[in-house]
Amino acid sequence: MHYLDNILFAILLLLGVGYFTLNCKKILRNIRLGKEVNRSDRKGDRWKNMAMIALGQSKMVKRPVAGILHIIVYVGFVVINIEVLEIIIDGLFGTHRVFSFLGPVYNVLIGSFEILAFLVLVAVIIFYIRRNIINLKRFVHSDLKGWPKSDGNIILYFEVVLMTLFLTMNAADFHLQNVSGGFMHFHTAGSFPISQYIAVLFEGVPNATVYVIERAAWWLHIAGILVFLNYLYFSKHLHILLAFPNTYFADLNPKGQFENLEAVTNEVKLMMDPNADPYAAAPADAVPTKFGASDVQDLNWVQLLNAYTCTECGRCTSACPANQTGKKLSPRKIMMDTRDRMEEVGKNIDANKGVFIPDNKTLLNDYITAEELWACTTCNACVEECPVNISPLSIIMEMRQYLVMEQSAAPMPLNAMMTNIENNGAPWQYSQQDRLNWKDEN
Ligand code: SF4
Ligand code: SF4
């Protein structure tokens, strides 16, 4: 019977981790749908970015209330899960609190886990109030209608349930440790600054019942963690894992520096240099088969990683001048749409034995409209604000590039300006010969 528990636990663990691994493979496959981009340079800066922004949460605290609450939940979640290691060993080998041989260190660890669990509960309640009662503008935005709003709340419920189970398990354990004369294998181990107060509820309850409560909380706690792990794939909470690679592979160029298209740069050089040979043959691979991006496969893999990492926090949208002035653009929606389309393409590939069958849809038009794209002022506020170094602007720019260069579909004033630059070498509609007329005035 004893071994049956261990076998059941091993099966549960295998199923949980196995399904998660399958979904990780899908995420990786979808990210690889993107074009190649080299982000292997400046490794020192990249590690620093990851340490400061993903691990150190340095951009989160720009908004102190949300930032500090987030750090509590983040640290709490990561640190408390160290205990998961103990649970896994106990579950697999039938031990009980296997790390208790650490003595006073173990007491400090369990004590700090409990305090963190309590703080996480408080932070989660405040988060819930901010999202659902105070209704902060960025959380009641139209981007979040439907599933994204439910997703934000579901994860809060998850946290409450997991932390409550953790404290209940400890409270029952504490009670059984203190049964006079001892109870089964429950020897004294750990300190319980929070759950000792919950344990008062067990006074007068038969020990066998408290034991059942302890076991139930223990099993539900680990099962809940495995469900949570697998829920990540369907949720914006993938950022818990992807914030690390995302900050590492982020663009390190100064904000505002755009990637020039080599083929276009060469054309312009020819135009500007009177001595250049206009008939000189360009290398065959100098001209791309498609300019800009109309679908997710045209974006690079870091942009697709960005889409999976987006936390849907809306800091970008709340700082976006286009959005603030009532335009249709929301940089958060750009990232959410990119992820949704990437998922759609991924499902298409899964359904068609590894091959994408065109579905008459594209990211452009079916998800993101030209109106949204042209509302962007390219100010970079969204990039600056993003707590995990995402660049919605880079996607906007590539889609605009497609509109201009593949479809000649720029707005009228822009087309007129570009025609003037092409014909007159200046954005205004007058001949180059008239350029110095101003000096003859007066
Ligand atoms: S760069 Fe564009 S999308 Fe980003 S904040 Fe500025 S206007 Fe908004
Ligand atoms: S792009 Fe960044 S700032 Fe915008 S919603 Fe996503 S995580 Fe938040």
Side-chain angles (χ1 to χ4, degrees), residues 309-379:
T309 311
C310 178
T311 71
E312 297 173 13
C313 66
R315 289 179 182 219
C316 51
T317 296
S318 70
C320 173
N323 192 276
Q324 283 171 0
T325 49
K327 313 283 191 308
K328 220 181 149 199
L329 174 64
S330 161
R332 168 171 59 187
K333 178 179 169 292
I334 299 286
M335 300 318 300
M336 292 167 73
D337 285 345
T338 305
R339 176 172 174 173
D340 288 349
R341 174 60 182 157
M342 187 170 32
E343 280 289 304
E344 187 175 49
V345 170
K347 282 181 189 149
N348 179 316
I349 293 172
D350 287 336
N352 295 297
K353 301 192 176 95
V355 183
F356 176 67
I357 305 289
D359 56 358
N360 293 324
K361 281 187 177 179
T362 52
L363 180 62
L364 180 66
N365 299 328
D366 291 297
Y367 286 83
I368 300 170
T369 62
E371 185 187 343
E372 290 167 74
L373 297 174
W374 291 115
C376 176
T377 66
T378 68
C379 68

